[in-house]
Amino acid sequence: MSAHSDSTHRGGHRDGSGDRQGHGHRHGHSHGGGHGNHRTDIDWEVMATQLETNGELQLPALRQVAARLRELLGPEHEVRRVLDIGSGPGVMTGVLAEAFEQAEAVAVDGAPGLLDRALARAERLGLGGRVTVRHAELPDGLDDGLGAADLIWSSRAVHHLGDQQGALNALAGALRPGGLLAVAEGGLPMRYLPREIGIGRPGLQARLDSVQEYWFEAMRAELPDSTTVVEDWPAMLGRAGLSPVGGFTTLLDLPAPLGGPARGYLHAHLTRLRESMGEVLDDEDRKTLDVLIDPAAPEGILHRPDAFLLSATTVFTGVRPA
Ligand SMILES: C[S@@+](CC[C@H](N)C(=O)[O-])C[C@H]1O[C@@H](n2cnc3c(N)ncnc32)[C@H](O)[C@@H]1O
């Protein structure tokens, strides 16, 4: 499947979200000073605007994903309850409420400020009556009566839980017979600049990918009950008792010249990388990153004509046998 879609960081989409200036809500695990020179603590509420902008950039793809999930459920399956696990500001929660008109859509997250955003967003979209929120600290919240659902969606959240297989098992267990679990957990790293950008050494993005991989490993190692598992998502969904399992990929393809929201998103992304991982880059790459995030620099990401946004997100799916 190809369409406009998301991307940030994980899988392809590493969150790269360590944050040193935030004073908002941290949950699940507190990493304190981070690991080595990396900071692996994440303040999700500080990232609220960035998460919502990213979701909005992806809206066309998210709508296509919702249509694909509808197909996978089959026309006979009456969808009455949808859960969005690790919903963040609830962009996909709203899309799911629009796509499944008979359903209650529940945004589940550990960050209350993001759930407030999800509710405000649903009100703005006229979905207020059908979108609800539930504050839950995962994984404990998974065993805590989330209630049965026909569709469970989770994007870039399971990888923040120590025992990913355990989380999938719990989510699969909450499905009604014939229900569908869909996790967006793979894809390709985002690309947004040519290889040669006229400043610094060519190949900066590949080196940033590498730093983010180290960051991601440190982040996972510090999670409570951190367990290593081969991240073969279809096999993991199968072990959770789901069948059939499968996957599909969406593409985000915003060509240059980028509009303001996409530039703002990239600026926030690079600023976060600079703050959380800048110390492990060499001097030249750090300087290049400083120019890219400088709002006044003509070569900065906010102004340069060659910036684009390209990434792929894979959604893995599994059905609870009837
Ligand atoms: C990378 S964001 C993804 C947000 C949204 N699903 C998306 O794809 O844009 C991860 C989300 O998971 C939530 N989260 C991470 N760890 C959590 C935990 N242990 N318990 C509850 N929520 C958690 C965060 O608050 C955040 O909203």
Side-chain angles (χ1 to χ4, degrees), residues 11-77:
H13 294 201
R14 302 311 197 203
D15 296 294
S17 10
D19 188 289
R20 69 170 49 163
Q21 70 213 354
H23 305 289
H25 187 78
R26 287 181 169 78
H27 56 76
H29 50 282
S30 174
H31 301 293
H35 176 96
N37 286 327
H38 294 69
R39 295 185 53 90
T40 61
D41 51 334
I42 305 172
D43 185 338
W44 294 111
E45 295 192 349
V46 165
M47 292 175 64
T49 302
Q50 193 178 354
L51 288 170
E52 195 160 357
T53 305
N54 178 45
E56 285 176 347
L57 289 171
Q58 303 178 48
L59 268 173
L62 294 178
R63 293 195 177 109
Q64 291 195 25
V65 167
R68 183 67 177 266
L69 300 180
R70 171 74 273 178
E71 279 170 26
L72 288 168
L73 277 156
E76 289 88 42
H77 192 105

Short mmCIF file of all heavy atoms in Angstrom, two decimals, residues 11-77:
data_model
loop_
_atom_site.label_atom_id
_atom_site.label_comp_id
_atom_site.label_asym_id
_atom_site.label_seq_id
_atom_site.Cartn_x
_atom_site.Cartn_y
_atom_site.Cartn_z
N GLY A 11 11.61 2.33 14.28
CA GLY A 11 11.63 1.10 13.50
C GLY A 11 12.59 1.36 12.42
O GLY A 11 13.78 1.33 12.48
N GLY A 12 12.28 1.80 11.55
CA GLY A 12 12.50 2.99 10.91
C GLY A 12 12.31 4.16 11.80
O GLY A 12 12.96 5.14 11.66
N HIS A 13 11.51 4.07 12.77
CA HIS A 13 11.01 5.27 13.42
C HIS A 13 11.49 5.39 14.83
O HIS A 13 10.71 5.27 15.75
CB HIS A 13 9.49 5.23 13.43
CG HIS A 13 8.97 5.32 12.08
ND1 HIS A 13 7.71 5.71 11.81
CD2 HIS A 13 9.53 5.08 10.90
CE1 HIS A 13 7.51 5.70 10.53
NE2 HIS A 13 8.61 5.32 9.95
N ARG A 14 12.73 5.56 15.01
CA ARG A 14 13.23 5.73 16.36
C ARG A 14 12.69 7.03 16.91
O ARG A 14 12.76 8.07 16.24
CB ARG A 14 14.76 5.76 16.37
CG ARG A 14 15.39 4.52 15.78
CD ARG A 14 14.79 3.27 16.35
NE ARG A 14 15.65 2.13 16.10
CZ ARG A 14 15.21 0.89 16.06
NH1 ARG A 14 13.94 0.63 16.23
NH2 ARG A 14 16.04 -0.11 15.87
N ASP A 15 12.19 6.97 18.12
CA ASP A 15 11.58 8.19 18.65
C ASP A 15 12.61 9.28 18.90
O ASP A 15 12.31 10.43 18.78
CB ASP A 15 10.85 7.90 19.95
CG ASP A 15 9.71 6.98 19.67
OD1 ASP A 15 8.78 7.40 18.97
OD2 ASP A 15 9.77 5.84 20.12
N GLY A 16 13.79 8.86 19.31
CA GLY A 16 14.84 9.85 19.52
C GLY A 16 14.39 10.98 20.39
O GLY A 16 14.66 12.14 20.13
N SER A 17 13.65 10.62 21.45
CA SER A 17 12.89 11.68 22.08
C SER A 17 13.44 12.15 23.42
O SER A 17 12.76 12.87 24.10
CB SER A 17 11.46 11.23 22.26
OG SER A 17 11.30 9.91 21.99
N GLY A 18 14.60 11.74 23.79
CA GLY A 18 15.11 12.20 25.07
C GLY A 18 15.02 13.71 25.14
O GLY A 18 15.27 14.39 24.16
N ASP A 19 14.66 14.21 26.26
CA ASP A 19 14.41 15.63 26.33
C ASP A 19 15.01 16.18 27.59
O ASP A 19 14.81 15.66 28.66
CB ASP A 19 12.90 15.86 26.33
CG ASP A 19 12.59 17.31 26.20
OD1 ASP A 19 12.84 18.04 27.15
OD2 ASP A 19 12.12 17.71 25.13
N ARG A 20 15.76 17.26 27.46
CA ARG A 20 16.38 17.73 28.67
C ARG A 20 15.72 18.97 29.24
O ARG A 20 15.99 19.38 30.34
CB ARG A 20 17.87 17.98 28.46
CG ARG A 20 18.20 19.13 27.58
CD ARG A 20 19.67 19.43 27.62
NE ARG A 20 20.44 18.22 27.43
CZ ARG A 20 21.73 18.22 27.10
NH1 ARG A 20 22.35 19.33 26.94
NH2 ARG A 20 22.37 17.09 26.94
N GLN A 21 14.84 19.58 28.46
CA GLN A 21 14.28 20.81 28.99
C GLN A 21 12.90 20.61 29.58
O GLN A 21 12.37 21.48 30.24
CB GLN A 21 14.18 21.87 27.91
CG GLN A 21 13.12 21.53 26.88
CD GLN A 21 13.51 22.01 25.50
OE1 GLN A 21 14.49 22.68 25.35
NE2 GLN A 21 12.74 21.67 24.51
N GLY A 22 12.32 19.46 29.36
CA GLY A 22 10.94 19.30 29.75
C GLY A 22 10.75 19.15 31.24
O GLY A 22 11.57 18.60 31.94
N HIS A 23 9.63 19.65 31.70
CA HIS A 23 9.29 19.45 33.10
C HIS A 23 7.93 18.81 33.20
O HIS A 23 7.32 18.81 34.25
CB HIS A 23 9.29 20.78 33.85
CG HIS A 23 10.58 21.50 33.70
ND1 HIS A 23 11.73 21.07 34.32
CD2 HIS A 23 10.93 22.57 32.96
CE1 HIS A 23 12.73 21.88 33.99
NE2 HIS A 23 12.27 22.79 33.15
N GLY A 24 7.42 18.32 32.12
CA GLY A 24 6.07 17.76 32.10
C GLY A 24 6.05 16.34 32.60
O GLY A 24 6.78 15.98 33.51
N HIS A 25 5.27 15.51 31.92
CA HIS A 25 4.94 14.21 32.46
C HIS A 25 5.86 13.12 31.93
O HIS A 25 5.93 12.87 30.75
CB HIS A 25 3.50 13.89 32.08
CG HIS A 25 3.02 12.65 32.73
ND1 HIS A 25 2.63 12.60 34.02
CD2 HIS A 25 2.92 11.40 32.25
CE1 HIS A 25 2.27 11.38 34.32
NE2 HIS A 25 2.44 10.62 33.27
N ARG A 26 6.57 12.48 32.84
CA ARG A 26 7.33 11.29 32.47
C ARG A 26 6.63 10.10 33.08
O ARG A 26 6.12 10.19 34.17
CB ARG A 26 8.74 11.35 33.04
CG ARG A 26 9.62 12.32 32.33
CD ARG A 26 10.99 12.31 32.94
NE ARG A 26 11.91 13.05 32.13
CZ ARG A 26 11.97 14.37 32.12
NH1 ARG A 26 11.19 15.08 32.89
NH2 ARG A 26 12.82 15.00 31.34
N HIS A 27 6.67 8.99 32.40
CA HIS A 27 6.00 7.85 32.99
C HIS A 27 6.63 6.56 32.55
O HIS A 27 7.45 6.53 31.65
CB HIS A 27 4.52 7.83 32.65
CG HIS A 27 4.29 7.86 31.18
ND1 HIS A 27 4.48 6.77 30.39
CD2 HIS A 27 3.91 8.87 30.37
CE1 HIS A 27 4.21 7.10 29.14
NE2 HIS A 27 3.87 8.35 29.11
N GLY A 28 6.20 5.51 33.21
CA GLY A 28 6.66 4.17 32.84
C GLY A 28 8.02 3.91 33.44
O GLY A 28 8.20 3.00 34.21
N HIS A 29 8.95 4.74 33.13
CA HIS A 29 10.29 4.54 33.63
C HIS A 29 10.95 5.90 33.66
O HIS A 29 10.74 6.73 32.81
CB HIS A 29 11.06 3.61 32.71
CG HIS A 29 10.96 4.03 31.29
ND1 HIS A 29 9.85 3.80 30.52
CD2 HIS A 29 11.81 4.72 30.51
CE1 HIS A 29 10.03 4.31 29.32
NE2 HIS A 29 11.21 4.87 29.29
N SER A 30 11.74 6.09 34.66
CA SER A 30 12.44 7.35 34.72
C SER A 30 13.92 7.05 34.55
O SER A 30 14.51 6.36 35.35
CB SER A 30 12.17 8.03 36.06
OG SER A 30 12.97 9.17 36.15
N HIS A 31 14.50 7.56 33.50
CA HIS A 31 15.87 7.19 33.20
C HIS A 31 16.90 8.12 33.80
O HIS A 31 18.07 7.90 33.62
CB HIS A 31 16.09 7.19 31.68
CG HIS A 31 15.19 6.26 30.98
ND1 HIS A 31 15.27 4.91 31.12
CD2 HIS A 31 14.15 6.47 30.15
CE1 HIS A 31 14.34 4.33 30.38
NE2 HIS A 31 13.65 5.26 29.79
N GLY A 32 16.41 9.16 34.45
CA GLY A 32 17.35 10.06 35.06
C GLY A 32 18.32 10.60 34.03
O GLY A 32 17.94 11.13 33.01
N GLY A 33 19.59 10.43 34.28
CA GLY A 33 20.60 11.03 33.44
C GLY A 33 20.87 10.29 32.15
O GLY A 33 21.76 10.66 31.41
N GLY A 34 20.17 9.25 31.88
CA GLY A 34 20.38 8.55 30.62
C GLY A 34 21.51 7.55 30.70
O GLY A 34 22.01 7.21 31.76
N HIS A 35 21.94 7.11 29.54
CA HIS A 35 22.86 5.99 29.45
C HIS A 35 24.11 6.49 28.75
O HIS A 35 24.05 6.93 27.61
CB HIS A 35 22.15 4.90 28.63
CG HIS A 35 22.99 3.72 28.35
ND1 HIS A 35 22.95 2.59 29.11
CD2 HIS A 35 23.88 3.48 27.37
CE1 HIS A 35 23.77 1.70 28.60
NE2 HIS A 35 24.35 2.22 27.55
N GLY A 36 25.24 6.43 29.43
CA GLY A 36 26.44 6.97 28.82
C GLY A 36 26.21 8.43 28.49
O GLY A 36 25.74 9.19 29.32
N ASN A 37 26.52 8.78 27.25
CA ASN A 37 26.28 10.17 26.85
C ASN A 37 24.91 10.39 26.27
O ASN A 37 24.59 11.47 25.80
CB ASN A 37 27.34 10.59 25.82
CG ASN A 37 28.66 10.81 26.50
OD1 ASN A 37 28.70 11.24 27.65
ND2 ASN A 37 29.73 10.48 25.81
N HIS A 38 24.09 9.35 26.21
CA HIS A 38 22.75 9.52 25.68
C HIS A 38 21.80 9.85 26.82
O HIS A 38 21.95 9.37 27.92
CB HIS A 38 22.22 8.21 25.07
CG HIS A 38 22.95 7.75 23.87
ND1 HIS A 38 24.23 7.31 23.90
CD2 HIS A 38 22.53 7.66 22.59
CE1 HIS A 38 24.60 6.95 22.67
NE2 HIS A 38 23.59 7.15 21.86
N ARG A 39 20.80 10.64 26.50
CA ARG A 39 19.70 10.81 27.46
C ARG A 39 18.53 10.02 26.93
O ARG A 39 18.12 10.19 25.81
CB ARG A 39 19.33 12.28 27.58
CG ARG A 39 20.43 13.14 28.15
CD ARG A 39 19.92 14.54 28.35
NE ARG A 39 18.70 14.51 29.13
CZ ARG A 39 18.65 14.58 30.45
NH1 ARG A 39 19.76 14.68 31.13
NH2 ARG A 39 17.51 14.53 31.09
N THR A 40 18.01 9.11 27.75
CA THR A 40 16.94 8.25 27.26
C THR A 40 15.61 8.54 27.93
O THR A 40 14.64 7.83 27.71
CB THR A 40 17.29 6.76 27.44
OG1 THR A 40 17.47 6.52 28.83
CG2 THR A 40 18.52 6.39 26.66
N ASP A 41 15.57 9.54 28.81
CA ASP A 41 14.28 9.87 29.41
C ASP A 41 13.42 10.59 28.37
O ASP A 41 13.92 11.33 27.54
CB ASP A 41 14.45 10.73 30.67
CG ASP A 41 15.34 11.93 30.43
OD1 ASP A 41 16.20 11.88 29.53
OD2 ASP A 41 15.16 12.93 31.14
N ILE A 42 12.14 10.35 28.47
CA ILE A 42 11.23 10.94 27.48
C ILE A 42 10.14 11.69 28.21
O ILE A 42 9.49 11.15 29.10
CB ILE A 42 10.57 9.83 26.64
CG1 ILE A 42 11.63 8.94 25.99
CG2 ILE A 42 9.67 10.46 25.57
CD1 ILE A 42 11.04 7.72 25.31
N ASP A 43 9.96 12.93 27.85
CA ASP A 43 8.85 13.70 28.40
C ASP A 43 7.84 13.87 27.28
O ASP A 43 7.97 14.75 26.42
CB ASP A 43 9.35 15.05 28.90
CG ASP A 43 8.25 15.82 29.60
OD1 ASP A 43 7.06 15.52 29.32
OD2 ASP A 43 8.55 16.68 30.42
N TRP A 44 6.82 13.01 27.29
CA TRP A 44 5.89 12.97 26.16
C TRP A 44 5.07 14.25 26.06
O TRP A 44 4.70 14.67 24.97
CB TRP A 44 4.97 11.76 26.28
CG TRP A 44 5.71 10.47 26.14
CD1 TRP A 44 5.96 9.55 27.11
CD2 TRP A 44 6.33 9.96 24.95
NE1 TRP A 44 6.69 8.51 26.60
CE2 TRP A 44 6.93 8.73 25.28
CE3 TRP A 44 6.45 10.43 23.65
CZ2 TRP A 44 7.62 7.97 24.35
CZ3 TRP A 44 7.14 9.68 22.72
CH2 TRP A 44 7.71 8.46 23.08
N GLU A 45 4.78 14.85 27.20
CA GLU A 45 3.91 16.03 27.12
C GLU A 45 4.63 17.21 26.48
O GLU A 45 4.00 18.02 25.80
CB GLU A 45 3.35 16.36 28.50
CG GLU A 45 2.43 15.23 28.95
CD GLU A 45 1.59 15.55 30.16
OE1 GLU A 45 1.83 16.57 30.81
OE2 GLU A 45 0.68 14.75 30.44
N VAL A 46 5.93 17.29 26.65
CA VAL A 46 6.69 18.34 25.98
C VAL A 46 6.64 18.14 24.47
O VAL A 46 6.73 19.08 23.69
CB VAL A 46 8.14 18.35 26.51
CG1 VAL A 46 9.06 19.15 25.61
CG2 VAL A 46 8.17 18.93 27.91
N MET A 47 6.46 16.89 24.05
CA MET A 47 6.44 16.58 22.62
C MET A 47 5.04 16.68 22.01
O MET A 47 4.84 16.30 20.85
CB MET A 47 6.97 15.17 22.40
CG MET A 47 8.45 15.05 22.72
SD MET A 47 8.96 13.35 22.56
CE MET A 47 8.69 13.09 20.82
N ALA A 48 4.07 17.17 22.79
CA ALA A 48 2.67 17.12 22.36
C ALA A 48 2.47 17.74 20.97
O ALA A 48 1.86 17.14 20.08
CB ALA A 48 1.78 17.82 23.38
N THR A 49 2.98 18.96 20.78
CA THR A 49 2.74 19.64 19.51
C THR A 49 3.39 18.87 18.37
O THR A 49 2.81 18.69 17.29
CB THR A 49 3.32 21.07 19.57
OG1 THR A 49 2.68 21.74 20.65
CG2 THR A 49 3.06 21.83 18.28
N GLN A 50 4.59 18.38 18.63
CA GLN A 50 5.29 17.65 17.58
C GLN A 50 4.54 16.35 17.21
O GLN A 50 4.41 16.01 16.03
CB GLN A 50 6.70 17.31 18.06
CG GLN A 50 7.56 16.84 16.92
CD GLN A 50 8.97 16.56 17.37
OE1 GLN A 50 9.33 16.83 18.51
NE2 GLN A 50 9.75 16.03 16.48
N LEU A 51 4.04 15.66 18.22
CA LEU A 51 3.29 14.43 17.94
C LEU A 51 2.02 14.74 17.14
O LEU A 51 1.66 14.02 16.21
CB LEU A 51 2.92 13.71 19.25
CG LEU A 51 4.06 13.03 20.02
CD1 LEU A 51 3.59 12.58 21.39
CD2 LEU A 51 4.63 11.85 19.24
N GLU A 52 1.35 15.83 17.52
CA GLU A 52 0.10 16.15 16.83
C GLU A 52 0.39 16.63 15.39
O GLU A 52 -0.31 16.23 14.45
CB GLU A 52 -0.70 17.21 17.61
CG GLU A 52 -2.14 17.30 17.14
CD GLU A 52 -3.08 17.94 18.16
OE1 GLU A 52 -2.66 18.29 19.28
OE2 GLU A 52 -4.27 18.11 17.81
N THR A 53 1.44 17.45 15.22
CA THR A 53 1.78 17.89 13.85
C THR A 53 2.15 16.71 12.99
O THR A 53 1.72 16.59 11.83
CB THR A 53 2.99 18.87 13.89
OG1 THR A 53 2.68 19.92 14.76
CG2 THR A 53 3.28 19.42 12.50
N ASN A 54 2.93 15.80 13.56
CA ASN A 54 3.32 14.61 12.80
C ASN A 54 2.08 13.82 12.39
O ASN A 54 1.95 13.41 11.24
CB ASN A 54 4.25 13.75 13.65
CG ASN A 54 4.63 12.48 12.94
OD1 ASN A 54 4.96 12.50 11.76
ND2 ASN A 54 4.56 11.36 13.64
N GLY A 55 1.15 13.65 13.33
CA GLY A 55 -0.08 12.93 13.00
C GLY A 55 -0.85 13.63 11.90
O GLY A 55 -1.36 13.00 10.97
N GLU A 56 -0.89 14.96 11.96
CA GLU A 56 -1.65 15.70 10.95
C GLU A 56 -0.99 15.60 9.57
O GLU A 56 -1.69 15.51 8.56
CB GLU A 56 -1.86 17.14 11.39
CG GLU A 56 -2.91 17.20 12.48
CD GLU A 56 -3.15 18.57 13.07
OE1 GLU A 56 -2.33 19.48 12.82
OE2 GLU A 56 -4.15 18.72 13.80
N LEU A 57 0.33 15.60 9.54
CA LEU A 57 1.02 15.43 8.25
C LEU A 57 0.67 14.08 7.63
O LEU A 57 0.65 13.93 6.41
CB LEU A 57 2.54 15.53 8.44
CG LEU A 57 3.09 16.92 8.77
CD1 LEU A 57 4.57 16.83 9.14
CD2 LEU A 57 2.90 17.87 7.60
N GLN A 58 0.40 13.13 8.50
CA GLN A 58 0.12 11.77 8.01
C GLN A 58 -1.34 11.50 7.73
O GLN A 58 -1.68 10.37 7.36
CB GLN A 58 0.43 10.75 9.08
CG GLN A 58 1.74 10.69 9.65
CD GLN A 58 1.68 9.61 10.71
OE1 GLN A 58 1.18 8.52 10.50
NE2 GLN A 58 2.17 9.93 11.88
N LEU A 59 -2.20 12.47 7.96
CA LEU A 59 -3.64 12.17 7.94
C LEU A 59 -4.11 11.38 6.71
O LEU A 59 -4.85 10.40 6.87
CB LEU A 59 -4.45 13.46 8.06
CG LEU A 59 -4.83 13.84 9.50
CD1 LEU A 59 -5.48 15.21 9.52
CD2 LEU A 59 -5.74 12.80 10.13
N PRO A 60 -3.67 11.76 5.49
CA PRO A 60 -4.16 10.98 4.34
C PRO A 60 -3.81 9.49 4.47
O PRO A 60 -4.63 8.62 4.16
CB PRO A 60 -3.45 11.62 3.15
CG PRO A 60 -3.10 13.00 3.61
CD PRO A 60 -2.81 12.89 5.08
N ALA A 61 -2.61 9.21 4.93
CA ALA A 61 -2.20 7.81 5.07
C ALA A 61 -2.96 7.14 6.21
O ALA A 61 -3.35 5.97 6.09
CB ALA A 61 -0.70 7.72 5.34
N LEU A 62 -3.17 7.87 7.29
CA LEU A 62 -3.87 7.26 8.42
C LEU A 62 -5.30 6.88 8.01
O LEU A 62 -5.82 5.84 8.42
CB LEU A 62 -3.90 8.22 9.62
CG LEU A 62 -2.54 8.51 10.27
CD1 LEU A 62 -2.68 9.50 11.42
CD2 LEU A 62 -1.87 7.23 10.77
N ARG A 63 -5.91 7.71 7.15
CA ARG A 63 -7.26 7.38 6.68
C ARG A 63 -7.22 6.13 5.81
O ARG A 63 -8.12 5.28 5.88
CB ARG A 63 -7.85 8.56 5.90
CG ARG A 63 -8.10 9.75 6.82
CD ARG A 63 -9.01 10.80 6.17
NE ARG A 63 -9.24 11.86 7.14
CZ ARG A 63 -8.75 13.10 7.06
NH1 ARG A 63 -8.03 13.46 6.00
NH2 ARG A 63 -8.98 13.98 8.00
N GLN A 64 -6.17 6.00 5.02
CA GLN A 64 -6.05 4.78 4.21
C GLN A 64 -5.79 3.56 5.09
O GLN A 64 -6.29 2.47 4.82
CB GLN A 64 -4.93 4.94 3.18
CG GLN A 64 -5.31 5.95 2.12
CD GLN A 64 -4.39 5.87 0.91
OE1 GLN A 64 -3.79 4.83 0.64
NE2 GLN A 64 -4.29 6.96 0.20
N VAL A 65 -5.01 3.75 6.13
CA VAL A 65 -4.77 2.64 7.07
C VAL A 65 -6.10 2.21 7.68
O VAL A 65 -6.42 1.00 7.75
CB VAL A 65 -3.77 3.06 8.17
CG1 VAL A 65 -3.76 2.03 9.31
CG2 VAL A 65 -2.37 3.21 7.59
N ALA A 66 -6.90 3.17 8.11
CA ALA A 66 -8.19 2.84 8.73
C ALA A 66 -9.07 2.06 7.75
O ALA A 66 -9.73 1.08 8.13
CB ALA A 66 -8.90 4.11 9.20
N ALA A 67 -9.06 2.47 6.47
CA ALA A 67 -9.86 1.76 5.47
C ALA A 67 -9.34 0.33 5.29
O ALA A 67 -10.12 -0.63 5.15
CB ALA A 67 -9.82 2.51 4.13
N ARG A 68 -8.04 0.17 5.34
CA ARG A 68 -7.45 -1.16 5.19
C ARG A 68 -7.82 -2.04 6.40
O ARG A 68 -8.11 -3.23 6.25
CB ARG A 68 -5.93 -1.01 5.07
CG ARG A 68 -5.19 -2.30 4.84
CD ARG A 68 -5.53 -2.90 3.48
NE ARG A 68 -4.74 -4.10 3.27
CZ ARG A 68 -3.57 -4.12 2.64
NH1 ARG A 68 -3.06 -3.02 2.15
NH2 ARG A 68 -2.92 -5.27 2.50
N LEU A 69 -7.82 -1.44 7.59
CA LEU A 69 -8.19 -2.21 8.79
C LEU A 69 -9.66 -2.65 8.68
O LEU A 69 -10.01 -3.77 9.07
CB LEU A 69 -7.95 -1.38 10.05
CG LEU A 69 -6.49 -0.93 10.28
CD1 LEU A 69 -6.38 -0.11 11.56
CD2 LEU A 69 -5.53 -2.12 10.34
N ARG A 70 -10.49 -1.76 8.15
CA ARG A 70 -11.92 -2.11 7.94
C ARG A 70 -12.02 -3.34 7.02
O ARG A 70 -12.76 -4.28 7.30
CB ARG A 70 -12.61 -0.89 7.34
CG ARG A 70 -14.02 -1.02 6.84
CD ARG A 70 -15.07 -1.12 7.91
NE ARG A 70 -15.30 -2.48 8.35
CZ ARG A 70 -16.14 -2.86 9.29
NH1 ARG A 70 -16.85 -1.97 9.95
NH2 ARG A 70 -16.30 -4.11 9.61
N GLU A 71 -11.24 -3.35 5.94
CA GLU A 71 -11.24 -4.49 5.02
C GLU A 71 -10.79 -5.76 5.73
O GLU A 71 -11.37 -6.84 5.54
CB GLU A 71 -10.26 -4.25 3.86
CG GLU A 71 -10.78 -3.39 2.75
CD GLU A 71 -9.64 -3.01 1.79
OE1 GLU A 71 -8.64 -3.77 1.68
OE2 GLU A 71 -9.77 -1.96 1.18
N LEU A 72 -9.73 -5.64 6.52
CA LEU A 72 -9.19 -6.83 7.20
C LEU A 72 -10.18 -7.40 8.20
O LEU A 72 -10.23 -8.61 8.43
CB LEU A 72 -7.86 -6.49 7.89
CG LEU A 72 -6.68 -6.27 6.95
CD1 LEU A 72 -5.49 -5.66 7.70
CD2 LEU A 72 -6.26 -7.59 6.29
N LEU A 73 -10.99 -6.53 8.80
CA LEU A 73 -11.99 -7.01 9.76
C LEU A 73 -13.13 -7.73 9.04
O LEU A 73 -13.80 -8.58 9.62
CB LEU A 73 -12.55 -5.83 10.57
CG LEU A 73 -11.69 -5.43 11.76
CD1 LEU A 73 -11.94 -3.98 12.13
CD2 LEU A 73 -11.96 -6.35 12.95
N GLY A 74 -13.34 -7.36 7.79
CA GLY A 74 -14.43 -7.97 7.03
C GLY A 74 -15.73 -7.22 7.24
O GLY A 74 -15.95 -6.64 8.31
N PRO A 75 -16.60 -7.24 6.23
CA PRO A 75 -17.83 -6.42 6.29
C PRO A 75 -18.80 -6.88 7.37
O PRO A 75 -19.58 -6.08 7.87
CB PRO A 75 -18.44 -6.59 4.89
CG PRO A 75 -17.78 -7.80 4.30
CD PRO A 75 -16.46 -7.97 4.97
N GLU A 76 -18.72 -8.16 7.76
CA GLU A 76 -19.72 -8.65 8.74
C GLU A 76 -19.39 -8.24 10.17
O GLU A 76 -20.26 -8.24 11.03
CB GLU A 76 -19.82 -10.18 8.73
CG GLU A 76 -20.48 -10.76 7.50
CD GLU A 76 -19.45 -11.00 6.43
OE1 GLU A 76 -18.34 -11.48 6.76
OE2 GLU A 76 -19.72 -10.67 5.26
N HIS A 77 -18.13 -7.97 10.43
CA HIS A 77 -17.75 -7.71 11.83
C HIS A 77 -18.25 -6.33 12.27
O HIS A 77 -17.82 -5.30 11.74
CB HIS A 77 -16.24 -7.81 12.01
CG HIS A 77 -15.83 -7.84 13.45
ND1 HIS A 77 -15.40 -9.00 14.08
CD2 HIS A 77 -15.85 -6.89 14.41
CE1 HIS A 77 -15.15 -8.73 15.34
NE2 HIS A 77 -15.42 -7.46 15.57
#
